Amino acid sequence: MLRLSKLTDYAVVVLVRLSGGAAVQTSPGIAGATGIPEPTVAKVLKALAAGGLVTSQRGAHGGYRLSRPLATIPIAEVIAAIDGPIALTACVDGSPTSCEVLGLCPVRGRWDPVNTAIREALTAITLADMQEAAIPRAFRVPLPEQAPAAPVDVSSVPLAE
Amino acid sequence: MLRLSKLTDYAVVVLVRLSGGAAVQTSPGIAGATGIPEPTVAKVLKALAAGGLVTSQRGAHGGYRLSRPLATIPIAEVIAAIDGPIALTACVDGSPTSCEVLGLCPVRGRWDPVNTAIREALTAITLADMQEAAIPRAFRVPLPEQAPAAPVDVSSVPLAE
DNA sequence: CCTATTCGGACCCACTCGGTCCTGTTTCCG
DNA sequence: CGGAAACAGGACCGAGTGGGTCCGAATAGG
């Protein structure tokens, strides 16, 4: 369904949560604040740390901390960290395992422009954009100085559907 | 992984194949020409017919026929026909089943701009664009007059990844 | 030096999806 | 008028992956 995993959704929630509050936060702490099951939060944080989006501090009084401000993190990076590289089909041109119907497949490698278009759309939107007006006033904490994060102008093409 | 189903890939292959050759083609015929298993082709065609992209003719000497030229079919429609509506997360704002952590979820409904961006990217690309230079010379049949299908210019944004 | 706390990696279960098959209905040919 | 060809709709089964849980490793504090 072209839907990304729920983990990625959680990742966005976690990252946004991580931007507010204390500098370093623990998995249970974030879980409690977001309502996401604790093990799942830990798993997400783990993947995020592997992707370099958050830095971890082990040991007592450890936890996680944002590596970069939200405005510099495009959605594409979050998706890549959680769900792996963005590729709609298995037939990406660099794939080692070519499809078995290679000789006949008429659209071999033709998904590339689609992949590229999607990747660009995802790269143009940062987490700060999603945070904009997302957090109700009650949850809104005074962030130091979150850049306005260049407004995304993808509305030039009329939406047929 | 933000990957769409293999069925959608097949659908594109089938539709492109359907654009060449005879006016009406049978499932076995398309299967033989594309190398895709026959039952799978039938399933794809069925979904495509339900989506209105192809018209079916029952009975002996029946088969499937394109409803519209490739240039007027955006990828988004194919995906919608096969994989259902394009929505990256379950938390689309019109969803009847609100997520259980609704009260705490800080990015509730914030995926909409992402969904919109992707939908636009997918709507801007038609099947004719994927057919362009996709079919090797050997397979290229003299199509009557397939519109050049306005080149998609999505390469204005530099790709970070 | 020991202990508590927290991250890190490995494991397992369940769900959805890809793929197949069968039966029924419709239409053309003999 | 009967048979064959082809689509339509459903159910069924297996594989892959997402989602959740557990235990071990590392580090700061006492």
Side-chain angles (χ1 to χ4, degrees), chain B residues 54-93:
Chain B
V54 300
T55 58
S56 62
Q57 177 64 30
R58 301 183 63 159
H61 292 81
Y64 290 95
R65 187 171 54 84
L66 275 183
S67 298
R68 302 186 157 283
L70 290 187
T72 64
I73 304 179
I75 304 290
E77 261 191 61
V78 180
I79 296 175
I82 301 292
D83 288 342
I86 299 175
L88 269 61
T89 63
C91 290
V92 290
D93 67 338

PDB file of all heavy atoms in Angstrom, chain B residues 54-93:
ATOM      1  N   VAL B  54      -8.312  -0.879 -17.222  1.00  0.00           N
ATOM      2  CA  VAL B  54      -8.489  -1.721 -18.400  1.00  0.00           C
ATOM      3  C   VAL B  54      -9.955  -2.158 -18.443  1.00  0.00           C
ATOM      4  O   VAL B  54     -10.634  -2.204 -17.421  1.00  0.00           O
ATOM      5  CB  VAL B  54      -7.578  -2.970 -18.365  1.00  0.00           C
ATOM      6  CG1 VAL B  54      -6.133  -2.568 -18.319  1.00  0.00           C
ATOM      7  CG2 VAL B  54      -7.936  -3.863 -17.196  1.00  0.00           C
ATOM      8  N   THR B  55     -10.422  -2.470 -19.641  1.00  0.00           N
ATOM      9  CA  THR B  55     -11.781  -2.972 -19.783  1.00  0.00           C
ATOM     10  C   THR B  55     -11.719  -4.426 -20.197  1.00  0.00           C
ATOM     11  O   THR B  55     -10.845  -4.821 -20.964  1.00  0.00           O
ATOM     12  CB  THR B  55     -12.562  -2.168 -20.839  1.00  0.00           C
ATOM     13  OG1 THR B  55     -11.856  -2.265 -22.071  1.00  0.00           O
ATOM     14  CG2 THR B  55     -12.672  -0.717 -20.433  1.00  0.00           C
ATOM     15  N   SER B  56     -12.614  -5.221 -19.670  1.00  0.00           N
ATOM     16  CA  SER B  56     -12.588  -6.652 -19.945  1.00  0.00           C
ATOM     17  C   SER B  56     -13.699  -7.050 -20.907  1.00  0.00           C
ATOM     18  O   SER B  56     -14.758  -6.427 -20.952  1.00  0.00           O
ATOM     19  CB  SER B  56     -12.757  -7.421 -18.629  1.00  0.00           C
ATOM     20  OG  SER B  56     -14.010  -7.126 -18.049  1.00  0.00           O
ATOM     21  N   GLN B  57     -13.410  -8.070 -21.652  1.00  0.00           N
ATOM     22  CA  GLN B  57     -14.392  -8.615 -22.585  1.00  0.00           C
ATOM     23  C   GLN B  57     -14.530 -10.101 -22.279  1.00  0.00           C
ATOM     24  O   GLN B  57     -13.580 -10.874 -22.472  1.00  0.00           O
ATOM     25  CB  GLN B  57     -13.922  -8.394 -24.027  1.00  0.00           C
ATOM     26  CG  GLN B  57     -14.852  -8.993 -25.069  1.00  0.00           C
ATOM     27  CD  GLN B  57     -16.226  -8.337 -25.065  1.00  0.00           C
ATOM     28  OE1 GLN B  57     -16.340  -7.156 -24.726  1.00  0.00           O
ATOM     29  NE2 GLN B  57     -17.262  -9.082 -25.393  1.00  0.00           N
ATOM     30  N   ARG B  58     -15.653 -10.483 -21.797  1.00  0.00           N
ATOM     31  CA  ARG B  58     -15.833 -11.877 -21.390  1.00  0.00           C
ATOM     32  C   ARG B  58     -16.160 -12.766 -22.581  1.00  0.00           C
ATOM     33  O   ARG B  58     -16.458 -12.289 -23.668  1.00  0.00           O
ATOM     34  CB  ARG B  58     -16.925 -11.976 -20.340  1.00  0.00           C
ATOM     35  CG  ARG B  58     -16.619 -11.161 -19.103  1.00  0.00           C
ATOM     36  CD  ARG B  58     -17.675 -11.324 -18.051  1.00  0.00           C
ATOM     37  NE  ARG B  58     -17.761 -12.698 -17.585  1.00  0.00           N
ATOM     38  CZ  ARG B  58     -18.299 -13.049 -16.431  1.00  0.00           C
ATOM     39  NH1 ARG B  58     -18.764 -12.112 -15.621  1.00  0.00           N
ATOM     40  NH2 ARG B  58     -18.363 -14.289 -16.066  1.00  0.00           N
ATOM     41  N   GLY B  59     -16.142 -14.047 -22.299  1.00  0.00           N
ATOM     42  CA  GLY B  59     -16.481 -15.018 -23.323  1.00  0.00           C
ATOM     43  C   GLY B  59     -15.311 -15.385 -24.207  1.00  0.00           C
ATOM     44  O   GLY B  59     -14.200 -14.880 -24.043  1.00  0.00           O
ATOM     45  N   ALA B  60     -15.573 -16.303 -25.097  1.00  0.00           N
ATOM     46  CA  ALA B  60     -14.528 -16.731 -26.036  1.00  0.00           C
ATOM     47  C   ALA B  60     -14.043 -15.535 -26.848  1.00  0.00           C
ATOM     48  O   ALA B  60     -14.792 -14.614 -27.131  1.00  0.00           O
ATOM     49  CB  ALA B  60     -15.078 -17.816 -26.954  1.00  0.00           C
ATOM     50  N   HIS B  61     -12.759 -15.568 -27.182  1.00  0.00           N
ATOM     51  CA  HIS B  61     -12.129 -14.446 -27.898  1.00  0.00           C
ATOM     52  C   HIS B  61     -12.239 -13.147 -27.135  1.00  0.00           C
ATOM     53  O   HIS B  61     -12.234 -12.077 -27.724  1.00  0.00           O
ATOM     54  CB  HIS B  61     -12.727 -14.285 -29.322  1.00  0.00           C
ATOM     55  CG  HIS B  61     -12.375 -15.420 -30.216  1.00  0.00           C
ATOM     56  ND1 HIS B  61     -13.058 -16.622 -30.194  1.00  0.00           N
ATOM     57  CD2 HIS B  61     -11.427 -15.578 -31.161  1.00  0.00           C
ATOM     58  CE1 HIS B  61     -12.555 -17.442 -31.078  1.00  0.00           C
ATOM     59  NE2 HIS B  61     -11.546 -16.853 -31.682  1.00  0.00           N
ATOM     60  N   GLY B  62     -12.405 -13.265 -25.837  1.00  0.00           N
ATOM     61  CA  GLY B  62     -12.441 -12.066 -25.006  1.00  0.00           C
ATOM     62  C   GLY B  62     -11.033 -11.665 -24.645  1.00  0.00           C
ATOM     63  O   GLY B  62     -10.072 -12.059 -25.300  1.00  0.00           O
ATOM     64  N   GLY B  63     -10.909 -10.909 -23.570  1.00  0.00           N
ATOM     65  CA  GLY B  63      -9.591 -10.464 -23.144  1.00  0.00           C
ATOM     66  C   GLY B  63      -9.665  -9.100 -22.505  1.00  0.00           C
ATOM     67  O   GLY B  63     -10.735  -8.641 -22.089  1.00  0.00           O
ATOM     68  N   TYR B  64      -8.491  -8.459 -22.414  1.00  0.00           N
ATOM     69  CA  TYR B  64      -8.428  -7.145 -21.785  1.00  0.00           C
ATOM     70  C   TYR B  64      -7.937  -6.107 -22.779  1.00  0.00           C
ATOM     71  O   TYR B  64      -7.192  -6.414 -23.707  1.00  0.00           O
ATOM     72  CB  TYR B  64      -7.498  -7.175 -20.577  1.00  0.00           C
ATOM     73  CG  TYR B  64      -8.042  -7.967 -19.415  1.00  0.00           C
ATOM     74  CD1 TYR B  64      -7.702  -9.299 -19.237  1.00  0.00           C
ATOM     75  CD2 TYR B  64      -8.894  -7.366 -18.497  1.00  0.00           C
ATOM     76  CE1 TYR B  64      -8.199 -10.029 -18.173  1.00  0.00           C
ATOM     77  CE2 TYR B  64      -9.398  -8.090 -17.430  1.00  0.00           C
ATOM     78  CZ  TYR B  64      -9.043  -9.415 -17.268  1.00  0.00           C
ATOM     79  OH  TYR B  64      -9.530 -10.120 -16.230  1.00  0.00           O
ATOM     80  N   ARG B  65      -8.338  -4.872 -22.540  1.00  0.00           N
ATOM     81  CA  ARG B  65      -7.974  -3.787 -23.433  1.00  0.00           C
ATOM     82  C   ARG B  65      -7.758  -2.530 -22.594  1.00  0.00           C
ATOM     83  O   ARG B  65      -8.438  -2.311 -21.587  1.00  0.00           O
ATOM     84  CB  ARG B  65      -9.108  -3.559 -24.434  1.00  0.00           C
ATOM     85  CG  ARG B  65      -8.807  -2.565 -25.539  1.00  0.00           C
ATOM     86  CD  ARG B  65      -9.934  -2.602 -26.580  1.00  0.00           C
ATOM     87  NE  ARG B  65     -11.236  -2.387 -25.938  1.00  0.00           N
ATOM     88  CZ  ARG B  65     -11.725  -1.166 -25.663  1.00  0.00           C
ATOM     89  NH1 ARG B  65     -11.032  -0.112 -25.964  1.00  0.00           N
ATOM     90  NH2 ARG B  65     -12.894  -1.039 -25.077  1.00  0.00           N
ATOM     91  N   LEU B  66      -6.804  -1.733 -22.975  1.00  0.00           N
ATOM     92  CA  LEU B  66      -6.537  -0.489 -22.248  1.00  0.00           C
ATOM     93  C   LEU B  66      -7.738   0.447 -22.347  1.00  0.00           C
ATOM     94  O   LEU B  66      -8.316   0.616 -23.416  1.00  0.00           O
ATOM     95  CB  LEU B  66      -5.300   0.209 -22.829  1.00  0.00           C
ATOM     96  CG  LEU B  66      -3.930  -0.214 -22.312  1.00  0.00           C
ATOM     97  CD1 LEU B  66      -2.849   0.649 -22.948  1.00  0.00           C
ATOM     98  CD2 LEU B  66      -3.861  -0.092 -20.801  1.00  0.00           C
ATOM     99  N   SER B  67      -8.091   1.058 -21.228  1.00  0.00           N
ATOM    100  CA  SER B  67      -9.193   2.012 -21.251  1.00  0.00           C
ATOM    101  C   SER B  67      -8.724   3.366 -21.765  1.00  0.00           C
ATOM    102  O   SER B  67      -9.473   4.093 -22.404  1.00  0.00           O
ATOM    103  CB  SER B  67      -9.787   2.179 -19.845  1.00  0.00           C
ATOM    104  OG  SER B  67     -10.316   0.955 -19.384  1.00  0.00           O
ATOM    105  N   ARG B  68      -7.477   3.685 -21.461  1.00  0.00           N
ATOM    106  CA  ARG B  68      -6.930   4.986 -21.845  1.00  0.00           C
ATOM    107  C   ARG B  68      -5.490   4.809 -22.307  1.00  0.00           C
ATOM    108  O   ARG B  68      -4.852   3.827 -21.953  1.00  0.00           O
ATOM    109  CB  ARG B  68      -6.948   5.940 -20.641  1.00  0.00           C
ATOM    110  CG  ARG B  68      -8.314   6.157 -20.041  1.00  0.00           C
ATOM    111  CD  ARG B  68      -8.271   7.235 -18.957  1.00  0.00           C
ATOM    112  NE  ARG B  68      -9.582   7.832 -18.765  1.00  0.00           N
ATOM    113  CZ  ARG B  68     -10.102   8.732 -19.602  1.00  0.00           C
ATOM    114  NH1 ARG B  68      -9.404   9.117 -20.659  1.00  0.00           N
ATOM    115  NH2 ARG B  68     -11.301   9.243 -19.392  1.00  0.00           N
ATOM    116  N   PRO B  69      -4.991   5.742 -23.096  1.00  0.00           N
ATOM    117  CA  PRO B  69      -3.577   5.661 -23.504  1.00  0.00           C
ATOM    118  C   PRO B  69      -2.650   5.808 -22.301  1.00  0.00           C
ATOM    119  O   PRO B  69      -3.006   6.444 -21.297  1.00  0.00           O
ATOM    120  CB  PRO B  69      -3.422   6.829 -24.486  1.00  0.00           C
ATOM    121  CG  PRO B  69      -4.574   7.737 -24.202  1.00  0.00           C
ATOM    122  CD  PRO B  69      -5.680   6.869 -23.715  1.00  0.00           C
ATOM    123  N   LEU B  70      -1.480   5.222 -22.406  1.00  0.00           N
ATOM    124  CA  LEU B  70      -0.528   5.208 -21.299  1.00  0.00           C
ATOM    125  C   LEU B  70      -0.217   6.601 -20.783  1.00  0.00           C
ATOM    126  O   LEU B  70      -0.039   6.811 -19.575  1.00  0.00           O
ATOM    127  CB  LEU B  70       0.784   4.538 -21.748  1.00  0.00           C
ATOM    128  CG  LEU B  70       0.748   3.028 -21.992  1.00  0.00           C
ATOM    129  CD1 LEU B  70       2.156   2.527 -22.248  1.00  0.00           C
ATOM    130  CD2 LEU B  70       0.146   2.311 -20.808  1.00  0.00           C
ATOM    131  N   ALA B  71      -0.168   7.550 -21.701  1.00  0.00           N
ATOM    132  CA  ALA B  71       0.249   8.902 -21.317  1.00  0.00           C
ATOM    133  C   ALA B  71      -0.731   9.553 -20.346  1.00  0.00           C
ATOM    134  O   ALA B  71      -0.393  10.528 -19.674  1.00  0.00           O
ATOM    135  CB  ALA B  71       0.416   9.766 -22.566  1.00  0.00           C
ATOM    136  N   THR B  72      -1.931   9.033 -20.284  1.00  0.00           N
ATOM    137  CA  THR B  72      -2.936   9.645 -19.406  1.00  0.00           C
ATOM    138  C   THR B  72      -3.112   8.860 -18.108  1.00  0.00           C
ATOM    139  O   THR B  72      -4.010   9.137 -17.334  1.00  0.00           O
ATOM    140  CB  THR B  72      -4.292   9.727 -20.123  1.00  0.00           C
ATOM    141  OG1 THR B  72      -4.756   8.401 -20.392  1.00  0.00           O
ATOM    142  CG2 THR B  72      -4.177  10.493 -21.433  1.00  0.00           C
ATOM    143  N   ILE B  73      -2.245   7.885 -17.900  1.00  0.00           N
ATOM    144  CA  ILE B  73      -2.348   7.079 -16.674  1.00  0.00           C
ATOM    145  C   ILE B  73      -1.157   7.361 -15.769  1.00  0.00           C
ATOM    146  O   ILE B  73      -0.051   6.894 -16.037  1.00  0.00           O
ATOM    147  CB  ILE B  73      -2.381   5.571 -17.002  1.00  0.00           C
ATOM    148  CG1 ILE B  73      -3.532   5.253 -17.963  1.00  0.00           C
ATOM    149  CG2 ILE B  73      -2.507   4.759 -15.721  1.00  0.00           C
ATOM    150  CD1 ILE B  73      -3.616   3.796 -18.353  1.00  0.00           C
ATOM    151  N   PRO B  74      -1.350   8.112 -14.717  1.00  0.00           N
ATOM    152  CA  PRO B  74      -0.252   8.348 -13.775  1.00  0.00           C
ATOM    153  C   PRO B  74       0.017   7.112 -12.936  1.00  0.00           C
ATOM    154  O   PRO B  74      -0.883   6.296 -12.712  1.00  0.00           O
ATOM    155  CB  PRO B  74      -0.783   9.483 -12.902  1.00  0.00           C
ATOM    156  CG  PRO B  74      -2.260   9.373 -12.987  1.00  0.00           C
ATOM    157  CD  PRO B  74      -2.571   8.810 -14.343  1.00  0.00           C
ATOM    158  N   ILE B  75       1.255   7.002 -12.473  1.00  0.00           N
ATOM    159  CA  ILE B  75       1.628   5.859 -11.633  1.00  0.00           C
ATOM    160  C   ILE B  75       0.726   5.754 -10.416  1.00  0.00           C
ATOM    161  O   ILE B  75       0.399   4.665  -9.956  1.00  0.00           O
ATOM    162  CB  ILE B  75       3.090   6.007 -11.167  1.00  0.00           C
ATOM    163  CG1 ILE B  75       3.999   6.160 -12.380  1.00  0.00           C
ATOM    164  CG2 ILE B  75       3.525   4.818 -10.350  1.00  0.00           C
ATOM    165  CD1 ILE B  75       4.142   4.936 -13.181  1.00  0.00           C
ATOM    166  N   ALA B  76       0.334   6.907  -9.920  1.00  0.00           N
ATOM    167  CA  ALA B  76      -0.492   6.928  -8.715  1.00  0.00           C
ATOM    168  C   ALA B  76      -1.768   6.110  -8.908  1.00  0.00           C
ATOM    169  O   ALA B  76      -2.219   5.418  -7.988  1.00  0.00           O
ATOM    170  CB  ALA B  76      -0.838   8.366  -8.343  1.00  0.00           C
ATOM    171  N   GLU B  77      -2.319   6.166 -10.097  1.00  0.00           N
ATOM    172  CA  GLU B  77      -3.559   5.427 -10.333  1.00  0.00           C
ATOM    173  C   GLU B  77      -3.323   3.934 -10.324  1.00  0.00           C
ATOM    174  O   GLU B  77      -4.139   3.168  -9.824  1.00  0.00           O
ATOM    175  CB  GLU B  77      -4.164   5.851 -11.681  1.00  0.00           C
ATOM    176  CG  GLU B  77      -5.286   6.865 -11.544  1.00  0.00           C
ATOM    177  CD  GLU B  77      -6.028   7.057 -12.862  1.00  0.00           C
ATOM    178  OE1 GLU B  77      -6.603   6.078 -13.355  1.00  0.00           O
ATOM    179  OE2 GLU B  77      -6.008   8.181 -13.384  1.00  0.00           O
ATOM    180  N   VAL B  78      -2.200   3.533 -10.876  1.00  0.00           N
ATOM    181  CA  VAL B  78      -1.865   2.111 -10.894  1.00  0.00           C
ATOM    182  C   VAL B  78      -1.684   1.604  -9.469  1.00  0.00           C
ATOM    183  O   VAL B  78      -2.205   0.555  -9.087  1.00  0.00           O
ATOM    184  CB  VAL B  78      -0.589   1.856 -11.710  1.00  0.00           C
ATOM    185  CG1 VAL B  78      -0.255   0.376 -11.722  1.00  0.00           C
ATOM    186  CG2 VAL B  78      -0.763   2.380 -13.122  1.00  0.00           C
ATOM    187  N   ILE B  79      -0.955   2.384  -8.691  1.00  0.00           N
ATOM    188  CA  ILE B  79      -0.720   1.988  -7.303  1.00  0.00           C
ATOM    189  C   ILE B  79      -2.027   1.933  -6.532  1.00  0.00           C
ATOM    190  O   ILE B  79      -2.276   0.996  -5.768  1.00  0.00           O
ATOM    191  CB  ILE B  79       0.252   2.983  -6.634  1.00  0.00           C
ATOM    192  CG1 ILE B  79       1.612   2.928  -7.331  1.00  0.00           C
ATOM    193  CG2 ILE B  79       0.395   2.678  -5.150  1.00  0.00           C
ATOM    194  CD1 ILE B  79       2.598   3.947  -6.815  1.00  0.00           C
ATOM    195  N   ALA B  80      -2.868   2.914  -6.772  1.00  0.00           N
ATOM    196  CA  ALA B  80      -4.150   2.953  -6.065  1.00  0.00           C
ATOM    197  C   ALA B  80      -5.004   1.744  -6.445  1.00  0.00           C
ATOM    198  O   ALA B  80      -5.726   1.193  -5.614  1.00  0.00           O
ATOM    199  CB  ALA B  80      -4.874   4.258  -6.372  1.00  0.00           C
ATOM    200  N   ALA B  81      -4.921   1.342  -7.713  1.00  0.00           N
ATOM    201  CA  ALA B  81      -5.727   0.215  -8.167  1.00  0.00           C
ATOM    202  C   ALA B  81      -5.240  -1.098  -7.565  1.00  0.00           C
ATOM    203  O   ALA B  81      -6.036  -1.973  -7.236  1.00  0.00           O
ATOM    204  CB  ALA B  81      -5.704   0.132  -9.690  1.00  0.00           C
ATOM    205  N   ILE B  82      -3.953  -1.230  -7.428  1.00  0.00           N
ATOM    206  CA  ILE B  82      -3.387  -2.496  -6.935  1.00  0.00           C
ATOM    207  C   ILE B  82      -3.266  -2.517  -5.419  1.00  0.00           C
ATOM    208  O   ILE B  82      -3.727  -3.437  -4.750  1.00  0.00           O
ATOM    209  CB  ILE B  82      -1.990  -2.731  -7.543  1.00  0.00           C
ATOM    210  CG1 ILE B  82      -2.084  -2.773  -9.067  1.00  0.00           C
ATOM    211  CG2 ILE B  82      -1.390  -4.012  -6.997  1.00  0.00           C
ATOM    212  CD1 ILE B  82      -2.807  -3.964  -9.604  1.00  0.00           C
ATOM    213  N   ASP B  83      -2.662  -1.506  -4.876  1.00  0.00           N
ATOM    214  CA  ASP B  83      -2.333  -1.525  -3.452  1.00  0.00           C
ATOM    215  C   ASP B  83      -3.271  -0.707  -2.598  1.00  0.00           C
ATOM    216  O   ASP B  83      -3.042  -0.548  -1.401  1.00  0.00           O
ATOM    217  CB  ASP B  83      -0.908  -1.006  -3.245  1.00  0.00           C
ATOM    218  CG  ASP B  83       0.107  -2.010  -3.731  1.00  0.00           C
ATOM    219  OD1 ASP B  83      -0.266  -3.172  -3.881  1.00  0.00           O
ATOM    220  OD2 ASP B  83       1.264  -1.625  -3.946  1.00  0.00           O
ATOM    221  N   GLY B  84      -4.284  -0.155  -3.199  1.00  0.00           N
ATOM    222  CA  GLY B  84      -5.214   0.661  -2.426  1.00  0.00           C
ATOM    223  C   GLY B  84      -4.732   2.091  -2.351  1.00  0.00           C
ATOM    224  O   GLY B  84      -3.703   2.445  -2.912  1.00  0.00           O
ATOM    225  N   PRO B  85      -5.489   2.929  -1.665  1.00  0.00           N
ATOM    226  CA  PRO B  85      -5.167   4.348  -1.589  1.00  0.00           C
ATOM    227  C   PRO B  85      -3.779   4.603  -1.039  1.00  0.00           C
ATOM    228  O   PRO B  85      -3.266   3.836  -0.230  1.00  0.00           O
ATOM    229  CB  PRO B  85      -6.244   4.910  -0.654  1.00  0.00           C
ATOM    230  CG  PRO B  85      -6.782   3.731   0.084  1.00  0.00           C
ATOM    231  CD  PRO B  85      -6.638   2.573  -0.847  1.00  0.00           C
ATOM    232  N   ILE B  86      -3.180   5.667  -1.510  1.00  0.00           N
ATOM    233  CA  ILE B  86      -1.817   5.992  -1.107  1.00  0.00           C
ATOM    234  C   ILE B  86      -1.827   6.734   0.226  1.00  0.00           C
ATOM    235  O   ILE B  86      -2.234   7.880   0.299  1.00  0.00           O
ATOM    236  CB  ILE B  86      -1.131   6.853  -2.174  1.00  0.00           C
ATOM    237  CG1 ILE B  86      -1.052   6.083  -3.488  1.00  0.00           C
ATOM    238  CG2 ILE B  86       0.251   7.290  -1.721  1.00  0.00           C
ATOM    239  CD1 ILE B  86      -0.497   6.888  -4.624  1.00  0.00           C
ATOM    240  N   ALA B  87      -1.406   6.048   1.242  1.00  0.00           N
ATOM    241  CA  ALA B  87      -1.306   6.667   2.561  1.00  0.00           C
ATOM    242  C   ALA B  87      -0.165   6.006   3.307  1.00  0.00           C
ATOM    243  O   ALA B  87      -0.170   4.804   3.515  1.00  0.00           O
ATOM    244  CB  ALA B  87      -2.611   6.508   3.338  1.00  0.00           C
ATOM    245  N   LEU B  88       0.804   6.794   3.684  1.00  0.00           N
ATOM    246  CA  LEU B  88       2.011   6.235   4.272  1.00  0.00           C
ATOM    247  C   LEU B  88       1.793   5.653   5.657  1.00  0.00           C
ATOM    248  O   LEU B  88       2.401   4.669   6.030  1.00  0.00           O
ATOM    249  CB  LEU B  88       3.104   7.302   4.330  1.00  0.00           C
ATOM    250  CG  LEU B  88       4.011   7.350   3.107  1.00  0.00           C
ATOM    251  CD1 LEU B  88       3.194   7.661   1.874  1.00  0.00           C
ATOM    252  CD2 LEU B  88       5.085   8.373   3.280  1.00  0.00           C
ATOM    253  N   THR B  89       0.932   6.272   6.415  1.00  0.00           N
ATOM    254  CA  THR B  89       0.721   5.781   7.773  1.00  0.00           C
ATOM    255  C   THR B  89      -0.745   5.486   8.012  1.00  0.00           C
ATOM    256  O   THR B  89      -1.607   5.881   7.235  1.00  0.00           O
ATOM    257  CB  THR B  89       1.163   6.824   8.802  1.00  0.00           C
ATOM    258  OG1 THR B  89       0.337   7.979   8.653  1.00  0.00           O
ATOM    259  CG2 THR B  89       2.597   7.196   8.596  1.00  0.00           C
ATOM    260  N   ALA B  90      -1.016   4.791   9.085  1.00  0.00           N
ATOM    261  CA  ALA B  90      -2.394   4.480   9.439  1.00  0.00           C
ATOM    262  C   ALA B  90      -3.076   5.716  10.024  1.00  0.00           C
ATOM    263  O   ALA B  90      -4.293   5.784  10.117  1.00  0.00           O
ATOM    264  CB  ALA B  90      -2.427   3.333  10.442  1.00  0.00           C
ATOM    265  N   CYS B  91      -2.285   6.689  10.393  1.00  0.00           N
ATOM    266  CA  CYS B  91      -2.804   7.870  11.068  1.00  0.00           C
ATOM    267  C   CYS B  91      -3.219   8.960  10.079  1.00  0.00           C
ATOM    268  O   CYS B  91      -3.037  10.135  10.355  1.00  0.00           O
ATOM    269  CB  CYS B  91      -1.772   8.436  12.045  1.00  0.00           C
ATOM    270  SG  CYS B  91      -1.503   7.397  13.488  1.00  0.00           S
ATOM    271  N   VAL B  92      -3.737   8.598   8.922  1.00  0.00           N
ATOM    272  CA  VAL B  92      -4.223   9.641   8.036  1.00  0.00           C
ATOM    273  C   VAL B  92      -5.416  10.317   8.689  1.00  0.00           C
ATOM    274  O   VAL B  92      -6.168   9.692   9.410  1.00  0.00           O
ATOM    275  CB  VAL B  92      -4.625   9.065   6.662  1.00  0.00           C
ATOM    276  CG1 VAL B  92      -3.402   8.623   5.915  1.00  0.00           C
ATOM    277  CG2 VAL B  92      -5.580   7.914   6.840  1.00  0.00           C
ATOM    278  N   ASP B  93      -5.545  11.588   8.408  1.00  0.00           N
ATOM    279  CA  ASP B  93      -6.497  12.367   9.201  1.00  0.00           C
ATOM    280  C   ASP B  93      -7.946  11.911   9.037  1.00  0.00           C
ATOM    281  O   ASP B  93      -8.788  12.184   9.863  1.00  0.00           O
ATOM    282  CB  ASP B  93      -6.362  13.860   8.853  1.00  0.00           C
ATOM    283  CG  ASP B  93      -6.809  14.134   7.444  1.00  0.00           C
ATOM    284  OD1 ASP B  93      -6.822  13.202   6.615  1.00  0.00           O
ATOM    285  OD2 ASP B  93      -7.146  15.275   7.154  1.00  0.00           O
TER     286      ASP B  93
END
